[in-house]
Amino acid sequence: MPPSLKFTQDQWDMVKAQYDAVDGDQAFKAAFVAPGLFEQTHHLCEITNALMYYITDEDEMHDLIKYLTEWELELAEGICSNLHPDALFHHDDWGGLDSTFMSPAMFDDFLLEPYKEIYGYYRSHGVELIIHHSDSYAATLVPSMIEMGIDVWQGCMATNNLPELIQKYGGKISFMGGIENRAVDFEGWTDENCEKVVRQICGECGNKYFIPCIAQGGPGSVYPGVYMSLANAIDRLNEEQYGIKAEESTRLPWQILF
């Protein structure tokens, strides 16, 4: 059984007070939901078994995803009616370094319609931005992401060939990531290397439909100082190329989420 979603009004009010304390003129207020539907299935079944069951027990996996979708929709109702977030940050990893866990056809069969229902609910209840995190290869799933209603794919790794994706799909979806941990987050990391990686990915991807950020994790999950070094490098580039000073960039999406 999944965790109960029968929260008391006092519990919702406690979280709402945290939302209300955020200046909405300086940041989007986002709800965070994790894990997503695919990850829930492999958490329940173990990933090797889950991937096998998608082939051998299709009906049962459809039923499981339907059950999980109904649970997510109940959670969405509570979030939207009590918190009224500007954005949704939703987590579900769909691949590894250079391939997806399923073919696009299998992915669509199991996950396209459930996610359209979930993201459609949030959208119809006032959520402006749907941001989906999948720090993986998922280039072949971008058309499905667009159909689901995803505005920003966060966590996209360099193995996806981001310049090609931006050229092909820019305007329908935006890409947030490009800076892989393995390129910047290691013992002996330096500001100079962070600066080099930021300038390289931004030079390759440009400033349309691309938001530079580390692909995996936030400040607490990397070597101390790495995250801020990347943020500072992005700020310097913004000021040099576009005249945007750091204090003005606090509204930019790469600073909203982490």
Side-chain angles (χ1 to χ4, degrees):
M1 293 291 292
S4 172
L5 297 173
K6 305 303 181 185
F7 302 119
T8 67
Q9 193 57 50
D10 285 345
Q11 289 174 313
W12 281 117
D13 289 345
M14 178 181 65
V15 179
K16 186 175 185 301
Q18 298 175 17
Y19 264 58
D20 291 344
V22 175
D23 184 351
D25 291 330
Q26 296 297 317
F28 275 85
K29 301 179 184 183
F32 175 53
V33 176
L37 298 177
F38 173 71
E39 288 189 345
Q40 287 275 30
T41 65
H42 74 67
H43 288 176
L44 291 168
C45 301
E46 192 275 329
I47 191 165
T48 304
N49 290 332
L51 292 173
M52 180 176 67
Y53 296 154
Y54 277 108
I55 299 171
T56 62
D57 298 86
E58 293 183 48
D59 291 343
E60 288 79 3
M61 293 303 283
H62 277 293
D63 287 343
L64 176 57
I65 290 171
K66 180 180 179 182
Y67 179 79
L68 294 170
T69 301
E70 291 171 353
W71 186 88
E72 275 225 23
L73 288 170
E74 184 181 350
L75 176 62
E77 181 182 5
I79 289 172
C80 292
S81 60
N82 288 279
L83 303 180
H84 312 290
D86 303 311
L88 172 70
F89 185 51
H90 197 288
H91 186 292
D92 205 18
D93 289 336
W94 292 332
L97 176 65
D98 53 12
S99 67
T100 57
F101 292 126
M102 311 181 190
S103 70
M106 179 180 284
F107 179 88
D108 285 354
D109 181 29
F110 286 98
L111 296 172
L112 178 58
E113 292 302 322
Y115 266 115
K116 285 173 66 175
E117 188 174 5
I118 291 168
Y119 290 153
Y121 183 93
Y122 280 102
R123 182 83 69 193
S124 67
H125 287 76
V127 173
E128 296 179 49
L129 282 175
I130 306 295
I131 303 159
H132 184 98
H133 167 90
S134 179
D135 54 351
S136 64
Y137 177 87
T140 53
L141 305 181
V142 172
S144 301
M145 294 187 205
I146 294 168
E147 187 173 347
M148 287 174 183
I150 294 171
D151 297 298
V152 180
W153 169 19
Q154 195 277 330
C156 46
M157 299 170 67
T159 48
N160 288 282
N161 192 346
L162 296 180
E164 181 179 277
L165 289 178
I166 292 165
Q167 183 177 19
K168 187 172 183 179
Y169 298 109
K172 299 178 180 178
I173 191 172
S174 293
F175 302 89
M176 182 174 179
I179 303 171
E180 295 185 22
N181 288 53
R182 58 183 176 160
V184 294
D185 181 34
F186 47 80
E187 188 173 357
W189 70 272
T190 64
D191 288 321
E192 291 76 15
N193 182 63
C194 288
E195 183 95 19
K196 175 185 175 182
V197 172
V198 164
R199 290 178 180 272
Q200 179 179 342
I201 192 67
C202 289
E204 293 172 353
C205 294
N207 67 346
K208 298 289 192 302
Y209 316 116
F210 173 67
I211 306 163
C213 82
I214 198 164
Q216 302 101 343
S221 61
V222 298
Y223 279 88
V226 169
Y227 192 85
M228 188 52 65
S229 181
L230 294 171
N232 290 337
I234 294 168
D235 278 337
R236 283 190 292 272
L237 197 57
N238 278 333
E239 186 167 3
E240 287 176 18
Q241 295 192 1
Y242 313 114
I244 302 173
K245 296 183 179 180
E247 61 268 20
E248 297 171 348
S249 67
T250 54
R251 294 174 62 91
L252 293 179
W254 67 267
Q255 289 185 319
I256 291 171
L257 301 176
F258 301 104

